[in-house]
Amino acid sequence: MLMPTEGEIPAMSKTPDRSWLLESATFSRPVIREIQRAAREGIYDIRGFGAKRAVPTFDDLLFLGASMSRYPLEGYREKCETSVTLGTRFARKPITISTPITIAGMSFGALSAQAKEALGRGASEVGTSTTTGDGGMTAEERGHSTKLVYQYLPSRYGMNPDDLRKADAIEVVVGQGAKPGGGGMLLGQKISDRVAEMRNLPKGIDQRSACRHPDWTGPDDLEIKVQELREITDWQVPIYIKVGATRTFFDVQLAVKAGADVVVVDGMQGGTAATQDVFIEHVGIPTLPATRIAVDALQDMGMHREVQLIVSGGIRSGADVAKALALGADAVSIGTAALIAMGDNSPEHEQGYNALGTSAGYYDDYQDGKDPSGISTQDPELGKRLDPALAGRRVANYLRVLTLETQTLARAAGKTNVRNLEPEDMVALTIEAAAMAKIPLAGTDWIPGSRL
Amino acid sequence: MEKFDLQGNPVRALNSALHQEQARMKEFEVSNPGGKHNVACGARYPCSVTIHGHVGYYCAGMNQQADIVIHGNAGPGLAENMMSGSVRVHGNASQYCGATSHGGLLVIQGDAAARCGISMKGSDIVVGGSIGHMSAFMAQSGRLVVCGDTGDSLGDSIYEARMYVRGRVGSLGTDCIEKPMEPEHTEELQALLEKAGMEHRADEFRRYGSARRLYNFEVDNADAY
Ligand SMILES: Cc1cc2nc3c(=O)[nH]c(=O)nc-3n(C[C@H](O)[C@H](O)[C@H](O)COP(=O)(O)O)c2cc1C
């Protein structure tokens, strides 16, 4: 930017002083804008991304490093194990991932073929898994992912036994953190010929994904369903059950009872490709309490570590990973952060975002199919903007950084395995986080809500 | 012929045998199913499976190529997600038979309960008797033939599946309407009835399908959601 010349300075001082204007906390400018948009269009706001409101998170916890009573491990020298084996309960072939961070289920349809390929390349490079999504498995993603989890969703779009047998694990999706109790929607403008064909539906129509499975209704049915999937796949691969975080204690126990090898709990911050804003912001509980409750539920049954726990929803850094593990999770999974690693919301696409009336850092219209980064689109021209090799490399780099950060924190706490981190290694910064994570408030031995 | 007696035995050995290449063109006889779940799931090769007795949930689930006959009644989710081949029940079928089935032919000689053909994606389902409520909910493609009556909310939110009903329709679901029987429909229905072994004339049936009013969201249709 050019410095103002002397002559321009008086002009600037002419701008009226508005510093006394007071914006309503209730009717803020975004609220006013949304009311007027709703009044104009007569339809609720559907968008992608996750919850934007502030909720208690892993940021509200801190690690106690080693000092006098515990000794740390030497960075780069002393080994700190990161690999995790998932599906040890029933599967003949459990999956071992070399880092406790997996790529969450995101559908082809929501994401471009290039983006799916990049996720597969990145994850495979560091030895972890990717997950299909609503819409089925593509040959490309099978090809680019050495470990692929195949989602079994209510819509059953593209579901077929051949792909089931090609999967390294099966994830029965009961719900998602962004919309527990809600189905999906792929708006007509994102339905290319290929997506339409994969889903057996006409091109250009809105594709609704049911919110309930068509052939089972409760946990007792689900137990039989899980056995059916095991029978079809000859008991080879692990079966995960994914739930959005709501009544997490009961959901986790029922998932275990239904025969899950792995339970996936997705907190309310979890990303989505297209959901009503009101749903994203107002349903479900945050990942922080969900993680603690899920671990309590497993421990209560004596199944902690026997059934593995994966948590997701708003994981961004190695600190988030380490804290989730310290609370007792076996692994985490990432969606939004992986898209960001590939270039979603990057300032390099600012012009494109501006043309859509938004800006880098605010873009959330994954449902729209016009993504300038080429990630959440089915437009072949836009898709070409994403180089799968380069984006895959970025995903791999990002996963490595998360892993190194997690190890850094684990070593500082004196752990030779990242999963040896424990709740006792942490304190809480806020009363809310202390209550939700059942970790004492820093400087006290107080856990709000627990009996004295 | 290979025989499996399920009395006191799990379904594992049967299902495992059906998944082997050696199952090709074989005949399997299953006795004493005793309402067991997941009988004959994931069959992959052309072969014939005859089951003598009643089966529980998800019998013939995800069937590919096999011809499976059940001399008895079937529990929920019969032939769910079937891809090809055929499944015939001489008795009645419980809820969600043929759910999400992509292909093949499912024949129920008796009645089928609620949600028959829910989310079907290309299969043919022929029911000799009547079916329960919410059948063909969100049915995407394929054909559902009902020789008796239907329950309420038939074809709610249906996409491109075609339905032919001989008896009384309890009520039509959202966005489902009656459509004229053109010669092409009479012809396809007659062929289906013959294939399924039903002795009815196609001109005794009426056709139902999607009004296609809900294919893209419009605020003026908000009451329908
Ligand atoms: C673009 C996009 C598409 C998604 N599609 C699916 C899906 O098809 N099935 C599913 O279970 N979850 C889906 N999710 C949710 C993710 O699997 C995961 O739960 C969530 O992204 C985790 O939260 P995070 O985004 O904060 O990491 C999707 C998320 C995004 C961002």
Side-chain angles (χ1 to χ4, degrees):
Chain A
M1 200 214 260
L2 294 172
M3 291 296 289
T5 62
E6 291 238 331
E8 283 171 0
I9 290 171
M12 283 173 73
S13 67
K14 267 192 227 141
T15 41
D17 177 14
R18 296 216 171 93
S19 60
W20 45 269
L21 287 177
L22 182 61
E23 182 168 10
S24 164
T26 310
F27 290 97
S28 61
R29 277 167 292 177
V31 170
I32 289 171
R33 198 183 149 81
E34 173 51 20
I35 291 174
Q36 289 166 351
R37 187 209 59 75
R40 253 192 337 271
E41 298 174 12
I43 179 173
Y44 42 48
D45 182 20
I46 294 181
R47 65 173 177 88
F49 218 80
K52 293 189 169 181
R53 60 154 68 204
V55 294
T57 66
F58 291 121
D59 278 347
D60 303 321
L61 301 179
L62 294 174
F63 278 107
L64 300 170
S67 56
M68 293 284 267
S69 60
R70 294 163 195 225
Y71 61 91
L73 297 186
E74 202 62 66
Y76 307 106
R77 286 289 167 273
E78 285 173 302
K79 181 128 184 80
C80 179
E81 182 60 47
T82 58
S83 75
V84 189
T85 302
L86 302 167
T88 50
R89 187 182 181 195
F90 291 120
R92 289 215 185 103
K93 292 184 192 152
I95 297 191
T96 299
I97 49 178
S98 47
T99 176
I101 307 149
T102 67
I103 305 292
M106 293 182 277
S107 60
F108 170 73
L111 300 187
S112 63
Q114 288 86 348
K116 286 298 277 180
E117 177 181 335
L119 292 171
R121 284 170 178 262
S124 301
E125 196 174 319
V126 301
T128 191
S129 59
T130 64
T131 314
T132 66
D134 216 353
M137 184 190 288
T138 64
E140 295 94 314
E141 75 180 323
R142 179 60 281 191
H144 289 288
S145 300
T146 51
K147 299 182 177 82
L148 182 60
V149 183
Y150 186 32
Q151 284 198 329
Y152 189 74
L153 293 124
S155 71
R156 310 276 167 88
Y157 287 138
M159 172 50 56
N160 73 78
D162 293 328
D163 288 342
L164 206 60
R165 287 184 280 254
K166 279 185 215 145
D168 298 296
I170 298 162
E171 181 169 288
V172 178
V173 180
V174 177
Q176 223 180 293
K179 44 176 171 179
M185 173 75 107
L186 198 56
L187 293 180
Q189 58 265 37
K190 277 184 87 171
I191 315 292
S192 64
D193 288 335
R194 185 167 179 209
V195 171
E197 195 189 309
M198 281 177 72
R199 299 176 182 223
N200 313 78
L201 280 171
K203 198 183 165 190
I205 72 171
D206 298 344
Q207 299 195 345
R208 285 162 290 147
S209 300
C211 66
R212 288 202 306 265
H213 281 260
D215 57 355
W216 60 269
T217 38
D220 297 327
D221 285 6
L222 177 56
E223 185 174 351
I224 306 170
K225 174 53 77 180
V226 166
Q227 274 169 19
E228 184 204 3
L229 296 172
R230 291 201 193 278
E231 282 296 323
I232 292 172
T233 53
D234 291 311
W235 294 73
Q236 298 290 314
V237 299
I239 297 188
Y240 304 2
I241 295 180
K242 174 176 180 177
V243 292
T246 56
R247 295 173 185 85
T248 303
F249 191 85
F250 300 111
D251 290 348
V252 168
Q253 293 209 336
L254 291 169
V256 171
K257 190 186 153 281
D261 291 296
V262 175
V263 181
V264 183
V265 176
D266 191 24
M268 73 162 282
Q269 302 100 304
T272 175
T275 303
Q276 298 90 330
D277 175 82
V278 72
F279 215 141
I280 300 177
E281 298 288 356
H282 298 278
V283 185
I285 63 169
T287 309
L288 177 72
T291 305
R292 181 64 197 222
I293 297 167
V295 173
D296 286 350
L298 291 170
Q299 285 174 341
D300 180 67
M301 299 178 96
M303 295 299 267
H304 187 220
R305 303 292 185 215
E306 187 159 341
V307 168
Q308 287 80 35
L309 173 68
I310 301 180
V311 299
S312 57
I315 303 288
R316 306 149 298 172
S317 64
D320 290 341
V321 179
K323 291 168 189 175
L325 298 184
L327 284 179
D330 295 278
V332 302
S333 135
I334 58 169
T336 308
L339 306 187
I340 292 173
M342 293 194 286
D344 170 62
N345 269 299
S346 161
E348 71 188 279
H349 307 299
E350 183 60 11
Q351 271 192 332
Y353 291 129
N354 290 166
L356 299 171
T358 181
S359 184
Y362 301 89
Y363 183 67
D364 58 14
D365 288 322
Y366 295 167
Q367 82 291 347
D368 223 16
K370 302 195 186 109
D371 186 348
S373 73
I375 295 171
S376 61
T377 181
Q378 287 300 316
D379 177 333
E381 287 309 310
L382 289 174
K384 273 189 218 150
R385 294 193 190 169
L386 190 78
D387 171 358
L390 177 65
R393 179 79 196 151
R394 287 182 177 166
V395 170
N397 281 341
Y398 173 60
L399 287 168
R400 286 193 185 103
V401 170
L402 291 183
T403 310
L404 288 168
E405 286 180 343
T406 308
Q407 284 174 305
T408 300
L409 295 170
R411 283 199 181 96
K415 313 292 181 184
T416 55
N417 185 321
V418 291
R419 285 198 301 168
N420 291 350
L421 284 164
E422 49 195 342
E424 291 70 23
D425 292 317
M426 296 187 290
V427 292
L429 266 178
T430 65
I431 295 172
E432 286 84 357
M436 292 185 189
K438 299 193 189 138
I439 298 284
L441 187 67
T444 75
D445 54 6
W446 183 41
I447 298 177
S450 62
R451 282 198 211 116
L452 291 172
Chain B
M1 185 190 294
E2 214 167 314
K3 295 195 170 187
F4 286 89
D5 185 350
L6 294 183
Q7 178 96 55
N9 295 316
V11 294
R12 187 78 282 269
L14 166 68
N15 288 337
S16 169
L18 293 173
H19 302 169
Q20 313 299 321
E21 173 81 47
Q22 298 94 291
R24 207 177 270 281
M25 306 322 281
K26 264 203 188 146
E27 285 177 28
F28 295 86
E29 285 267 337
V30 182
S31 54
N32 298 309
K36 283 205 165 69
H37 306 312
N38 308 321
V39 175
C41 278
R44 308 175 65 169
Y45 300 101
C47 64
S48 87
V49 183
T50 309
I51 301 165
H52 299 281
H54 307 307
V55 289
Y57 279 61
Y58 310 128
C59 177
M62 299 207 189
N63 183 44
Q64 288 171 298
Q65 303 196 68
D67 294 309
I68 300 176
V69 178
I70 300 149
H71 294 280
N73 300 321
L78 171 72
E80 67 86 17
N81 214 83
M82 172 161 63
M83 304 304 292
S84 57
S86 73
V87 174
R88 176 183 293 271
V89 194
H90 285 278
N92 303 317
S94 182
Q95 302 182 79
Y96 2 97
C97 69
T100 75
S101 48
H102 287 70
L105 173 69
L106 171 61
V107 182
I108 318 285
Q109 313 235 129
D111 298 327
R115 297 172 195 268
C116 167
I118 182 171
S119 282
M120 57 192 283
K121 301 178 198 299
S123 59
D124 290 323
I125 303 179
V126 181
V127 182
S130 298
I131 62 174
H133 64 270
M134 287 302 270
S135 287
F137 174 59
M138 289 178 94
Q140 295 174 213
S141 63
R143 297 166 296 186
L144 172 62
V145 180
V146 185
C147 301
D149 304 331
T150 83
D152 285 337
S153 299
L154 177 71
D156 194 288
S157 308
I158 189 171
Y159 293 100
E160 293 296 297
R162 290 176 176 181
M163 297 187 294
Y164 299 100
V165 181
R166 186 162 155 273
R168 202 182 60 85
V169 169
S171 64
L172 291 174
T174 301
D175 210 31
C176 182
I177 52 169
E178 181 170 354
K179 297 183 163 187
M181 278 293 260
E182 308 290 354
E184 63 160 312
H185 304 116
T186 317
E187 205 172 300
E188 87 166 356
L189 175 58
Q190 197 63 55
L192 257 175
L193 286 166
E194 276 160 30
K195 204 165 141 195
M198 299 288 168
E199 292 175 355
H200 297 293
R201 287 203 334 268
D203 59 13
E204 296 163 15
F205 288 75
R206 303 172 107 170
R207 180 168 77 101
Y208 302 88
S210 179
R212 305 189 179 104
R213 276 184 309 244
L214 303 183
Y215 276 14
N216 292 94
F217 183 87
E218 271 176 47
V219 67
D220 297 327
N221 288 337
D223 293 349
Y225 287 89

